[in-house]
Amino acid sequence: MYKELQDKVAIVTGAASGLGKAIALRFGKEGMKVVVNYLSKEKEAAEVVKEIQNSGGEGIAVQADVSKEEDVERLISSAHQEFGTLDVMMNNAGVQKEIPSHEMTLEDWNKVIAVNLSGTFLGSTKAIAYMLDNGIKGSIINMSSVHEIVPWPHFVHYASSKGGMKMLTQTLALEYAPHGIRVNNIGPGAINTPINAEKFSDPKTKEDVLSMIPMKEIGEPEQIASIAAFLASNEASYVTGITLFADGGMKLYPAFQAGRG
Ligand code: NAI
Ligand code: BGC
């Protein structure tokens, strides 16, 4: 727990499920005031808000599509109107869809880039503008992936969006460091969330994924939420422009484990 997070205000995008939900709940436990953004899962978002309130935090659910500029502006305004400020912007919303690259249409490509990369651009830059206007030394946290650096066939749009987030985050970190605004990425490996539900429901594909993780464990959302809390906290006050990977060793060339190669 980080006691300085008490009463700080955060927006978490895509917070009705998976990693966003776990982060919103963790922020709630820290005593933060949380804007729980959702795209279409209104009921689930309301439940997240209820859980936050039960654990001592405050929350509101706000519908917004992170790929739409006016929606992101409304999201930032809702934090201001409801809680008076914005200290932490957690750009978590993301989508993925398996399609061999030679069959991928421009529409498929644009959809993933719009949510994952442009959505993160909008969330980061609008939050930074608000922080600059209000003299806030805030923390921007972006949900990247191991695929920020690991190529991923059939997911070229997704891997490109996460690769783009590396430069987005590093550039913004450099640009706004003089204002005390920190910008960092989290880079998870394979985590137990709805995005992986189909894959992990089949024991064969789950085993296949496990074989790519040196620690031989699928990650749990709470193991990623703890990184978000750290990056939001004063314990990370000198940390900016990094990607903090949490992947059980997935990107360490697992094929070389046990001295192969
Ligand atoms: P998820 O599918 O449960 O979460 C994604 C959330 O984003 C959903 O609640 C969805 O409704 C929301 N969303 C989608 N489009 C949106 C839009 N236009 N506006 C607002 N919200 C939107 O899956 P998960 O795993 O929790 O994904 C969250 C983030 O974590 C994504 O950015 C994903 O790329 C990233 N990630 C996930 C990993 C995993 O293994 N689960 C590993 C690495 C990164
Ligand atoms: C994807 C997951 C995948 C993980 C490791 C994440 O970015 O969302 O589906 O399991 O990377 O490959």
Side-chain angles (χ1 to χ4, degrees), residues 13-21 37-41 64-68 91-96 111 114-116 143-147 158 162 165 186-196 199-200:
T13 67
S17 64
L19 299 183
K21 174 179 175 179
N37 160 250
Y38 66 95
L39 179 64
S40 54
K41 302 182 189 91
D65 179 338
V66 299
S67 67
K68 295 190 174 146
N91 294 299
N92 163 78
V95 288
Q96 74 185 43
K111 164 81 185 150
V115 178
N116 298 11
M143 190 59 76
S144 183
S145 162
V146 287
H147 297 297
Y158 184 85
K162 300 299 184 181
M165 280 171 66
I186 302 176
I191 315 296
N192 193 12
T193 73
I195 228 171
N196 282 328
K199 204 158 44 188
F200 295 163

Short mmCIF file of all heavy atoms in Angstrom, two decimals, residues 13-21 37-41 64-68 91-96 111 114-116 143-147 158 162 165 186-196 199-200, ligand 1:
data_model
loop_
_atom_site.label_atom_id
_atom_site.label_comp_id
_atom_site.label_asym_id
_atom_site.label_seq_id
_atom_site.Cartn_x
_atom_site.Cartn_y
_atom_site.Cartn_z
N THR A 13 -8.91 3.29 -18.20
CA THR A 13 -9.73 2.97 -19.39
C THR A 13 -9.88 1.45 -19.52
O THR A 13 -9.02 0.68 -19.08
CB THR A 13 -9.12 3.56 -20.68
OG1 THR A 13 -7.88 2.91 -20.97
CG2 THR A 13 -8.91 5.06 -20.56
N GLY A 14 -10.99 1.05 -20.12
CA GLY A 14 -11.28 -0.39 -20.30
C GLY A 14 -11.28 -1.10 -18.97
O GLY A 14 -10.72 -2.19 -18.83
N ALA A 15 -11.97 -0.50 -17.98
CA ALA A 15 -11.86 -1.00 -16.60
C ALA A 15 -13.01 -1.91 -16.17
O ALA A 15 -13.13 -2.22 -14.99
CB ALA A 15 -11.74 0.18 -15.64
N ALA A 16 -13.83 -2.34 -17.13
CA ALA A 16 -14.95 -3.23 -16.76
C ALA A 16 -14.52 -4.69 -16.74
O ALA A 16 -15.29 -5.55 -16.33
CB ALA A 16 -16.10 -3.03 -17.75
N SER A 17 -13.29 -4.97 -17.18
CA SER A 17 -12.84 -6.38 -17.23
C SER A 17 -11.32 -6.45 -17.13
O SER A 17 -10.63 -5.43 -17.26
CB SER A 17 -13.29 -7.03 -18.55
OG SER A 17 -12.66 -6.39 -19.65
N GLY A 18 -10.84 -7.66 -16.90
CA GLY A 18 -9.41 -7.96 -17.03
C GLY A 18 -8.47 -7.08 -16.24
O GLY A 18 -8.68 -6.80 -15.06
N LEU A 19 -7.41 -6.63 -16.91
CA LEU A 19 -6.37 -5.86 -16.23
C LEU A 19 -6.89 -4.51 -15.75
O LEU A 19 -6.54 -4.04 -14.66
CB LEU A 19 -5.17 -5.64 -17.18
CG LEU A 19 -4.47 -6.91 -17.67
CD1 LEU A 19 -3.26 -6.55 -18.53
CD2 LEU A 19 -4.02 -7.76 -16.49
N GLY A 20 -7.73 -3.86 -16.56
CA GLY A 20 -8.28 -2.56 -16.17
C GLY A 20 -9.10 -2.67 -14.90
O GLY A 20 -8.99 -1.85 -13.99
N LYS A 21 -9.90 -3.73 -14.82
CA LYS A 21 -10.72 -3.96 -13.62
C LYS A 21 -9.80 -4.17 -12.40
O LYS A 21 -10.01 -3.56 -11.35
CB LYS A 21 -11.61 -5.19 -13.84
CG LYS A 21 -12.39 -5.60 -12.64
CD LYS A 21 -13.26 -6.81 -12.93
CE LYS A 21 -13.95 -7.30 -11.67
NZ LYS A 21 -14.82 -8.45 -11.93
N ASN A 37 -13.69 3.67 -16.66
CA ASN A 37 -14.18 3.80 -18.04
C ASN A 37 -14.58 2.45 -18.62
O ASN A 37 -13.94 1.44 -18.35
CB ASN A 37 -13.08 4.43 -18.92
CG ASN A 37 -13.32 4.15 -20.40
OD1 ASN A 37 -12.59 3.39 -21.02
ND2 ASN A 37 -14.37 4.72 -20.97
N TYR A 38 -15.65 2.47 -19.38
CA TYR A 38 -16.06 1.26 -20.10
C TYR A 38 -16.54 1.66 -21.49
O TYR A 38 -16.93 2.82 -21.70
CB TYR A 38 -17.16 0.50 -19.33
CG TYR A 38 -18.46 1.27 -19.25
CD1 TYR A 38 -19.49 1.05 -20.16
CD2 TYR A 38 -18.65 2.25 -18.26
CE1 TYR A 38 -20.69 1.77 -20.09
CE2 TYR A 38 -19.84 2.97 -18.19
CZ TYR A 38 -20.84 2.73 -19.11
OH TYR A 38 -22.01 3.46 -19.05
N LEU A 39 -16.51 0.69 -22.40
CA LEU A 39 -17.02 0.94 -23.75
C LEU A 39 -18.48 0.53 -23.84
O LEU A 39 -19.34 1.33 -24.17
CB LEU A 39 -16.18 0.17 -24.79
CG LEU A 39 -16.61 0.31 -26.24
CD1 LEU A 39 -16.47 1.74 -26.72
CD2 LEU A 39 -15.81 -0.64 -27.14
N SER A 40 -18.77 -0.73 -23.47
CA SER A 40 -20.14 -1.22 -23.59
C SER A 40 -20.60 -2.04 -22.37
O SER A 40 -21.78 -2.30 -22.23
CB SER A 40 -20.28 -2.07 -24.85
OG SER A 40 -19.30 -3.09 -24.83
N LYS A 41 -19.67 -2.43 -21.50
CA LYS A 41 -20.05 -3.30 -20.37
C LYS A 41 -20.49 -2.46 -19.18
O LYS A 41 -19.79 -2.37 -18.15
CB LYS A 41 -18.85 -4.19 -19.99
CG LYS A 41 -18.32 -5.07 -21.10
CD LYS A 41 -17.17 -5.94 -20.58
CE LYS A 41 -16.46 -6.67 -21.69
NZ LYS A 41 -15.31 -5.94 -22.26
N ALA A 64 -17.05 5.69 -22.51
CA ALA A 64 -16.31 6.47 -23.52
C ALA A 64 -15.54 5.51 -24.41
O ALA A 64 -15.05 4.48 -23.95
CB ALA A 64 -15.33 7.43 -22.85
N ASP A 65 -15.46 5.88 -25.68
CA ASP A 65 -14.66 5.11 -26.64
C ASP A 65 -13.30 5.82 -26.74
O ASP A 65 -13.22 6.97 -27.20
CB ASP A 65 -15.38 5.12 -28.00
CG ASP A 65 -14.62 4.37 -29.08
OD1 ASP A 65 -13.39 4.19 -28.96
OD2 ASP A 65 -15.27 3.96 -30.07
N VAL A 66 -12.24 5.14 -26.31
CA VAL A 66 -10.93 5.82 -26.22
C VAL A 66 -10.37 6.21 -27.59
O VAL A 66 -9.42 6.99 -27.66
CB VAL A 66 -9.88 4.96 -25.47
CG1 VAL A 66 -10.31 4.68 -24.05
CG2 VAL A 66 -9.56 3.66 -26.22
N SER A 67 -10.96 5.67 -28.66
CA SER A 67 -10.45 6.04 -29.98
C SER A 67 -11.12 7.32 -30.51
O SER A 67 -10.80 7.77 -31.60
CB SER A 67 -10.65 4.89 -30.97
OG SER A 67 -12.03 4.69 -31.23
N LYS A 68 -12.04 7.88 -29.72
CA LYS A 68 -12.75 9.10 -30.16
C LYS A 68 -12.31 10.29 -29.32
O LYS A 68 -12.47 10.27 -28.08
CB LYS A 68 -14.26 8.91 -30.05
CG LYS A 68 -14.78 7.85 -30.99
CD LYS A 68 -16.29 7.85 -31.04
CE LYS A 68 -16.78 6.88 -32.10
NZ LYS A 68 -18.04 6.25 -31.71
N ASN A 91 -3.99 4.34 -19.23
CA ASN A 91 -4.50 3.98 -20.56
C ASN A 91 -4.34 2.47 -20.75
O ASN A 91 -3.28 1.98 -21.12
CB ASN A 91 -3.71 4.73 -21.63
CG ASN A 91 -3.96 6.22 -21.57
OD1 ASN A 91 -5.09 6.68 -21.72
ND2 ASN A 91 -2.92 6.99 -21.28
N ASN A 92 -5.42 1.75 -20.47
CA ASN A 92 -5.37 0.29 -20.46
C ASN A 92 -6.14 -0.35 -21.61
O ASN A 92 -5.79 -1.44 -22.06
CB ASN A 92 -5.93 -0.20 -19.12
CG ASN A 92 -6.30 -1.66 -19.18
OD1 ASN A 92 -5.43 -2.53 -19.10
ND2 ASN A 92 -7.58 -1.96 -19.33
N ALA A 93 -7.19 0.32 -22.10
CA ALA A 93 -8.08 -0.31 -23.09
C ALA A 93 -7.29 -0.81 -24.30
O ALA A 93 -6.37 -0.14 -24.77
CB ALA A 93 -9.13 0.69 -23.55
N GLY A 94 -7.65 -1.98 -24.76
CA GLY A 94 -6.97 -2.52 -25.94
C GLY A 94 -7.77 -3.65 -26.56
O GLY A 94 -8.62 -4.26 -25.90
N VAL A 95 -7.50 -3.89 -27.84
CA VAL A 95 -8.17 -4.99 -28.54
C VAL A 95 -7.13 -5.78 -29.35
O VAL A 95 -6.07 -5.26 -29.69
CB VAL A 95 -9.26 -4.47 -29.51
CG1 VAL A 95 -10.46 -3.95 -28.75
CG2 VAL A 95 -8.73 -3.40 -30.45
N GLN A 96 -7.47 -7.05 -29.63
CA GLN A 96 -6.62 -7.84 -30.52
C GLN A 96 -7.48 -8.85 -31.26
O GLN A 96 -8.55 -9.23 -30.78
CB GLN A 96 -5.51 -8.54 -29.73
CG GLN A 96 -5.96 -9.72 -28.90
CD GLN A 96 -4.80 -10.29 -28.05
OE1 GLN A 96 -4.02 -9.56 -27.44
NE2 GLN A 96 -4.72 -11.60 -28.01
N LYS A 111 -8.60 -0.56 -36.99
CA LYS A 111 -9.40 -0.75 -35.76
C LYS A 111 -8.47 -0.94 -34.54
O LYS A 111 -8.66 -0.31 -33.50
CB LYS A 111 -10.31 -1.98 -35.96
CG LYS A 111 -10.92 -2.56 -34.72
CD LYS A 111 -12.16 -1.78 -34.29
CE LYS A 111 -12.68 -2.31 -32.94
NZ LYS A 111 -13.34 -1.36 -32.12
N ALA A 114 -6.38 2.20 -33.91
CA ALA A 114 -7.22 3.29 -33.37
C ALA A 114 -7.41 3.16 -31.87
O ALA A 114 -7.35 4.15 -31.14
CB ALA A 114 -8.58 3.29 -34.07
N VAL A 115 -7.66 1.94 -31.40
CA VAL A 115 -7.91 1.76 -29.96
C VAL A 115 -6.59 1.74 -29.19
O VAL A 115 -6.38 2.50 -28.25
CB VAL A 115 -8.71 0.45 -29.69
CG1 VAL A 115 -8.91 0.26 -28.19
CG2 VAL A 115 -10.05 0.50 -30.41
N ASN A 116 -5.67 0.87 -29.61
CA ASN A 116 -4.47 0.64 -28.80
C ASN A 116 -3.48 1.81 -28.86
O ASN A 116 -2.96 2.23 -27.82
CB ASN A 116 -3.74 -0.63 -29.29
CG ASN A 116 -4.59 -1.89 -29.15
OD1 ASN A 116 -5.78 -1.81 -28.89
ND2 ASN A 116 -3.98 -3.03 -29.34
N MET A 143 -0.72 0.74 -20.98
CA MET A 143 -0.65 -0.72 -20.99
C MET A 143 -0.11 -1.20 -22.33
O MET A 143 -0.81 -1.26 -23.33
CB MET A 143 -2.05 -1.32 -20.74
CG MET A 143 -2.00 -2.81 -20.50
SD MET A 143 -0.99 -3.27 -19.07
CE MET A 143 -2.08 -2.80 -17.71
N SER A 144 1.16 -1.52 -22.31
CA SER A 144 1.78 -2.07 -23.51
C SER A 144 1.74 -3.59 -23.43
O SER A 144 0.73 -4.17 -22.99
CB SER A 144 3.21 -1.51 -23.64
OG SER A 144 3.82 -1.96 -24.80
N SER A 145 2.82 -4.27 -23.76
CA SER A 145 2.83 -5.74 -23.81
C SER A 145 4.27 -6.17 -24.08
O SER A 145 5.10 -5.37 -24.52
CB SER A 145 1.94 -6.19 -24.98
OG SER A 145 2.21 -7.52 -25.35
N VAL A 146 4.53 -7.46 -23.87
CA VAL A 146 5.82 -7.99 -24.35
C VAL A 146 5.94 -7.76 -25.86
O VAL A 146 7.05 -7.65 -26.39
CB VAL A 146 6.01 -9.50 -24.06
CG1 VAL A 146 6.26 -9.76 -22.60
CG2 VAL A 146 4.83 -10.33 -24.58
N HIS A 147 4.77 -7.67 -26.54
CA HIS A 147 4.80 -7.47 -27.99
C HIS A 147 5.18 -6.04 -28.37
O HIS A 147 5.15 -5.69 -29.55
CB HIS A 147 3.48 -7.93 -28.61
CG HIS A 147 3.28 -9.39 -28.38
ND1 HIS A 147 4.13 -10.34 -28.89
CD2 HIS A 147 2.38 -10.06 -27.61
CE1 HIS A 147 3.75 -11.54 -28.47
NE2 HIS A 147 2.69 -11.40 -27.70
N TYR A 158 -1.55 -5.55 -33.85
CA TYR A 158 -1.40 -5.47 -32.39
C TYR A 158 0.06 -5.20 -32.00
O TYR A 158 0.35 -4.29 -31.21
CB TYR A 158 -1.88 -6.79 -31.77
CG TYR A 158 -1.87 -6.82 -30.26
CD1 TYR A 158 -2.95 -6.32 -29.53
CD2 TYR A 158 -0.79 -7.36 -29.56
CE1 TYR A 158 -2.94 -6.37 -28.14
CE2 TYR A 158 -0.78 -7.40 -28.18
CZ TYR A 158 -1.86 -6.91 -27.47
OH TYR A 158 -1.86 -6.95 -26.09
N LYS A 162 1.69 -1.86 -30.11
CA LYS A 162 2.45 -1.87 -28.85
C LYS A 162 3.88 -1.37 -29.10
O LYS A 162 4.46 -0.68 -28.25
CB LYS A 162 2.46 -3.28 -28.24
CG LYS A 162 1.06 -3.83 -27.90
CD LYS A 162 0.31 -3.00 -26.88
CE LYS A 162 -1.03 -3.63 -26.49
NZ LYS A 162 -1.80 -2.84 -25.51
N MET A 165 3.75 2.21 -29.05
CA MET A 165 3.60 2.76 -27.69
C MET A 165 4.94 2.97 -27.00
O MET A 165 5.06 3.76 -26.07
CB MET A 165 2.71 1.83 -26.85
CG MET A 165 1.23 2.05 -27.14
SD MET A 165 0.19 0.81 -26.37
CE MET A 165 0.44 1.18 -24.65
N ILE A 186 3.56 -0.39 -18.92
CA ILE A 186 3.63 -1.72 -18.32
C ILE A 186 3.63 -2.71 -19.49
O ILE A 186 2.85 -2.55 -20.43
CB ILE A 186 2.42 -2.01 -17.40
CG1 ILE A 186 2.33 -0.95 -16.29
CG2 ILE A 186 2.52 -3.41 -16.80
CD1 ILE A 186 1.10 -1.10 -15.40
N GLY A 187 4.49 -3.72 -19.43
CA GLY A 187 4.58 -4.71 -20.52
C GLY A 187 4.31 -6.12 -20.02
O GLY A 187 5.24 -6.87 -19.75
N PRO A 188 3.02 -6.49 -19.91
CA PRO A 188 2.72 -7.84 -19.43
C PRO A 188 3.00 -8.92 -20.47
O PRO A 188 2.98 -8.66 -21.68
CB PRO A 188 1.20 -7.80 -19.13
CG PRO A 188 0.81 -6.36 -19.22
CD PRO A 188 1.78 -5.71 -20.14
N GLY A 189 3.21 -10.13 -19.98
CA GLY A 189 3.24 -11.32 -20.83
C GLY A 189 1.84 -11.89 -20.91
O GLY A 189 0.88 -11.14 -21.08
N ALA A 190 1.70 -13.21 -20.77
CA ALA A 190 0.38 -13.85 -20.90
C ALA A 190 -0.34 -13.86 -19.56
O ALA A 190 0.09 -14.52 -18.61
CB ALA A 190 0.55 -15.27 -21.41
N ILE A 191 -1.44 -13.13 -19.49
CA ILE A 191 -2.16 -12.95 -18.23
C ILE A 191 -3.58 -13.51 -18.39
O ILE A 191 -4.17 -13.47 -19.47
CB ILE A 191 -2.24 -11.44 -17.84
CG1 ILE A 191 -0.88 -10.73 -18.03
CG2 ILE A 191 -2.75 -11.28 -16.41
CD1 ILE A 191 0.25 -11.19 -17.17
N ASN A 192 -4.08 -13.99 -17.28
CA ASN A 192 -5.38 -14.64 -17.22
C ASN A 192 -6.53 -13.60 -17.26
O ASN A 192 -7.01 -13.19 -16.21
CB ASN A 192 -5.41 -15.42 -15.90
CG ASN A 192 -6.55 -16.39 -15.85
OD1 ASN A 192 -7.20 -16.65 -16.86
ND2 ASN A 192 -6.80 -16.90 -14.66
N THR A 193 -6.91 -13.17 -18.45
CA THR A 193 -7.99 -12.18 -18.61
C THR A 193 -8.88 -12.61 -19.79
O THR A 193 -8.51 -13.50 -20.56
CB THR A 193 -7.43 -10.78 -18.94
OG1 THR A 193 -6.96 -10.79 -20.28
CG2 THR A 193 -6.34 -10.34 -17.98
N PRO A 194 -10.00 -11.92 -19.98
CA PRO A 194 -10.90 -12.28 -21.09
C PRO A 194 -10.22 -12.29 -22.46
O PRO A 194 -10.62 -13.07 -23.34
CB PRO A 194 -11.99 -11.21 -21.02
CG PRO A 194 -12.05 -10.84 -19.57
CD PRO A 194 -10.62 -10.91 -19.08
N ILE A 195 -9.20 -11.46 -22.65
CA ILE A 195 -8.54 -11.42 -23.98
C ILE A 195 -7.94 -12.79 -24.32
O ILE A 195 -7.82 -13.16 -25.48
CB ILE A 195 -7.45 -10.30 -24.01
CG1 ILE A 195 -7.56 -9.44 -25.26
CG2 ILE A 195 -6.05 -10.85 -23.90
CD1 ILE A 195 -6.68 -8.18 -25.26
N ASN A 196 -7.60 -13.57 -23.29
CA ASN A 196 -6.99 -14.89 -23.47
C ASN A 196 -7.94 -16.03 -23.15
O ASN A 196 -7.51 -17.19 -23.14
CB ASN A 196 -5.75 -15.02 -22.58
CG ASN A 196 -4.56 -14.28 -23.16
OD1 ASN A 196 -4.41 -14.18 -24.37
ND2 ASN A 196 -3.70 -13.76 -22.29
N LYS A 199 -8.17 -18.97 -25.62
CA LYS A 199 -6.89 -19.68 -25.68
C LYS A 199 -6.68 -20.56 -24.45
O LYS A 199 -6.25 -21.70 -24.55
CB LYS A 199 -5.79 -18.62 -25.76
CG LYS A 199 -4.52 -19.05 -26.38
CD LYS A 199 -3.68 -17.88 -26.92
CE LYS A 199 -3.56 -16.68 -26.03
NZ LYS A 199 -2.90 -15.54 -26.67
N PHE A 200 -7.01 -20.03 -23.28
CA PHE A 200 -6.73 -20.76 -22.04
C PHE A 200 -7.83 -21.78 -21.70
O PHE A 200 -7.63 -22.61 -20.81
CB PHE A 200 -6.52 -19.80 -20.87
CG PHE A 200 -5.29 -18.93 -21.01
CD1 PHE A 200 -5.14 -17.79 -20.23
CD2 PHE A 200 -4.28 -19.25 -21.91
CE1 PHE A 200 -4.01 -16.98 -20.36
CE2 PHE A 200 -3.15 -18.45 -22.05
CZ PHE A 200 -3.02 -17.31 -21.28
P1 NAI B 1 -9.94 -7.36 -21.81
O1 NAI B 1 -10.48 -7.68 -23.15
O2 NAI B 1 -10.64 -7.88 -20.62
O3 NAI B 1 -9.79 -5.79 -21.62
C1 NAI B 1 -9.84 -4.84 -22.63
C2 NAI B 1 -10.89 -3.81 -22.23
O4 NAI B 1 -10.80 -2.69 -23.13
C3 NAI B 1 -12.31 -4.38 -22.33
O5 NAI B 1 -13.02 -4.09 -21.13
C4 NAI B 1 -12.90 -3.64 -23.51
O6 NAI B 1 -14.29 -3.43 -23.43
C5 NAI B 1 -12.13 -2.32 -23.45
N1 NAI B 1 -12.15 -1.60 -24.72
C6 NAI B 1 -11.98 -2.12 -25.96
N2 NAI B 1 -12.10 -1.14 -26.88
C7 NAI B 1 -12.34 0.01 -26.20
C8 NAI B 1 -12.56 1.35 -26.59
N3 NAI B 1 -12.56 1.71 -27.89
N4 NAI B 1 -12.77 2.28 -25.62
C9 NAI B 1 -12.80 1.93 -24.32
N5 NAI B 1 -12.61 0.67 -23.90
C10 NAI B 1 -12.38 -0.28 -24.83
O7 NAI B 1 -8.42 -7.86 -21.85
P2 NAI B 1 -7.16 -7.42 -20.97
O8 NAI B 1 -6.20 -8.51 -21.06
O9 NAI B 1 -7.57 -6.95 -19.64
O10 NAI B 1 -6.58 -6.21 -21.80
C11 NAI B 1 -6.26 -4.95 -21.25
C12 NAI B 1 -4.99 -4.41 -21.87
O11 NAI B 1 -3.91 -5.25 -21.52
C13 NAI B 1 -4.98 -4.34 -23.39
O12 NAI B 1 -4.38 -3.12 -23.80
C14 NAI B 1 -4.11 -5.51 -23.80
O13 NAI B 1 -3.47 -5.30 -25.02
C15 NAI B 1 -3.11 -5.50 -22.66
N6 NAI B 1 -2.37 -6.74 -22.46
C16 NAI B 1 -3.01 -7.90 -22.06
C17 NAI B 1 -2.27 -9.03 -21.83
C18 NAI B 1 -2.89 -10.33 -21.43
O14 NAI B 1 -2.22 -11.37 -21.53
N7 NAI B 1 -4.11 -10.35 -20.95
C19 NAI B 1 -0.81 -9.04 -21.98
C20 NAI B 1 -0.26 -7.80 -22.43
C21 NAI B 1 -1.02 -6.68 -22.62
#
